[in-house]
Amino acid sequence: MERVTLSQYLIQCDRQTSLAPEALRRVLETCAQACAGIAASIARGALGDVLGSAGSANVQGETQQKLDVIANDRMLAANAWGGALAAMASEEMDDPWPIPDGEPRGPYLLLFDPLDGSSNIDVNVSIGTIFSVLPAPDSAQVGVVNAEAFLQPGRRQVAAGYVVYGPSTVMVLTVGHGVASFTLDRESGTWWLVRDRIQVPAQTREFAINASNARHWEPPVKRYIDELLAGREGVRAQDFNMRWIASMVADVHRIMTRGGIFMYPRDRREPDKPGKLRLMYEANPMALLIEQAGGAATNGLQPILDIVPAKLHERVSVILGSREEVERVTRYHQGA
Ligand code: P6P
């Protein structure tokens, strides 16, 4: 079978749907190239200066790992000059990063979590990069870019994707015309289409949640998980299996591959926080991918993609994956 490259896939997409115009293709191919570089840095491991703490903290107050900074710098450097973006925003930066003076601006905003799953770097467990593309308001293409330009609901994303740095390096991507996955040929640097029109099974027997937080969960989550744990002796009358990698990208990729439900709900540890995960550059891109693949993604009460953000680094509860399970959990939150 004649394999198709990422570039060919995007051009074919645009010919069929006009959803991947040249400027958007440039952003996505540039992100893919930057992620191939990040993959090479990760693969160096202890042989390169990429492990351990960077000795600094990010906007979330979390200690930055060296790879957090390396990945962030690679994404910025690769996307700074292409002329397709008005600005960028990242988990690792307090404020939006405007395209440098002298460089042409373009019609898109790029948001990313450059290195998701940092706690897994030093133990050689799969980690990832997550990215989201929004339309840039006209004002952002000429004047000063501020956070307000980014505060758009996830439904307005024109593209979203992630790269999982695992035994192989795989990118999963949507421009709004279904979901496709690409595997990186590390020798040539080429991303090859390996799956198209990915569908998440509507049913599953596999759930992902950090069960050490159980005593802090709100009642609907507790009820749902207890039913899964009761297995065939309980109301679900079937056994379930649990996975928790603590890299959202890896857990979501498993769900994208064979189904499942991923949950990081708000809990009583920090009741004033709506959740741990970030809306703009973690939950929104993953929610678009999951919905495009026939799954569902809510915060327990509404589709994540409908949430109107108030802050760039806003957090959110995340329940996503196989549609029938996500709908069940959401019903429990609504008192059903
Ligand atoms: P915990 C990684 O830090 C992350 O943001 C997600 O990738 C992951 O799903 C979650 O946090 C893990 O959180 O509390 O289990 O360490």
Side-chain angles (χ1 to χ4, degrees):
M1 174 184 77
E2 183 69 23
R3 284 212 180 278
V4 169
T5 66
L6 170 65
S7 301
Q8 290 169 314
Y9 169 84
L10 290 172
I11 287 170
Q12 289 167 2
C13 252
D14 195 54
R15 284 180 184 153
Q16 294 166 13
T17 67
S18 300
L19 288 174
E22 193 280 328
L24 181 58
R25 296 201 302 269
R26 200 176 330 143
V27 174
L28 298 175
E29 288 169 350
T30 301
C31 286
Q33 176 198 9
C35 290
I38 294 167
S41 296
I42 291 168
R44 296 278 302 153
L47 302 178
D49 184 21
V50 299
L51 302 184
S53 166
S56 51
N58 65 15
V59 65
Q60 328 288 342
E62 297 164 339
T63 301
Q64 288 179 307
Q65 301 300 301
K66 287 178 184 172
L67 261 179
D68 287 320
V69 178
I70 290 166
N72 195 63
D73 290 349
R74 278 187 178 272
M75 288 291 280
L76 292 176
N79 285 286
W81 52 274
L85 297 175
M88 294 182 253
S90 160
E91 178 186 48
E92 302 303 326
M93 303 185 300
D94 295 13
D95 301 313
W97 196 90
I99 294 304
D101 291 340
E103 293 294 348
R105 291 188 184 183
Y108 300 113
L109 299 172
L110 177 65
L111 303 91
F112 48 87
D113 178 359
L115 211 294
D116 171 68
S118 302
S119 64
N120 283 326
I121 294 171
D122 289 359
V123 295
N124 203 31
V125 169
S126 296
I127 48 185
T129 296
I130 309 170
F131 55 89
S132 166
V133 185
L134 286 168
D138 291 343
S139 59
Q141 298 185 43
V142 288
V144 174
V145 184
N146 53 35
E148 281 65 33
F150 290 82
L151 300 185
Q152 305 175 43
R155 196 82 57 199
R156 288 184 47 80
Q157 294 172 99
V158 293
Y162 63 79
V163 174
V164 52
Y165 308 110
S168 62
T169 302
V170 176
M171 176 166 50
V172 175
L173 180 68
T174 184
V175 294
H177 180 57
V179 178
S181 67
F182 304 82
T183 297
L184 176 67
D185 176 335
R186 293 173 178 165
E187 278 75 46
S188 67
T190 304
W191 293 89
W192 293 102
L193 176 69
V194 292
R195 286 186 71 195
D196 194 0
R197 291 184 290 280
I198 296 173
Q199 287 294 297
V200 173
Q203 300 178 339
T204 183
R205 293 192 178 183
E206 201 158 59
F207 68 100
I209 194 167
N210 182 338
S212 70
N213 299 325
R215 67 188 184 282
H216 306 300
W217 293 335
E218 296 180 333
V221 173
K222 189 83 173 61
R223 171 188 173 191
Y224 177 72
I225 298 297
D226 284 348
E227 289 177 355
L228 302 188
L229 295 175
R232 65 183 66 179
E233 290 83 41
V235 296
R236 299 299 304 271
Q238 58 183 339
D239 290 339
F240 288 80
N241 192 28
M242 197 194 100
R243 288 282 183 275
W244 187 250
I245 303 175
S247 289
M248 183 186 196
V249 173
D251 280 313
V252 170
H253 189 62
R254 183 187 58 254
I255 291 168
M256 197 61 82
T257 305
R258 68 186 190 212
I261 181 170
F262 172 93
M263 299 173 69
Y264 212 115
R266 68 183 307 162
D267 63 43
R268 291 189 281 250
R269 285 177 294 172
E270 297 181 284
D272 61 328
K273 274 188 184 173
K276 169 179 182 179
L277 303 180
R278 291 78 175 184
L279 173 63
M280 300 302 294
Y281 38 78
E282 288 178 332
N284 271 342
M286 292 308 199
L288 182 63
L289 287 161
I290 289 289
E291 282 201 6
Q292 282 284 318
T298 79
N299 65 353
L301 299 172
Q302 69 178 118
I304 284 172
L305 293 178
D306 294 339
I307 297 173
V308 179
K311 294 184 294 185
L312 182 60
H313 299 289
E314 183 164 321
R315 296 172 185 264
V316 67
S317 286
V318 177
I319 300 160
L320 62 77
S322 293
R323 176 169 293 281
E324 290 187 17
E325 291 303 312
V326 174
E327 289 173 348
R328 175 186 288 265
V329 180
T330 304
R331 283 199 304 274
Y332 290 3
H333 278 79
Q334 292 162 347

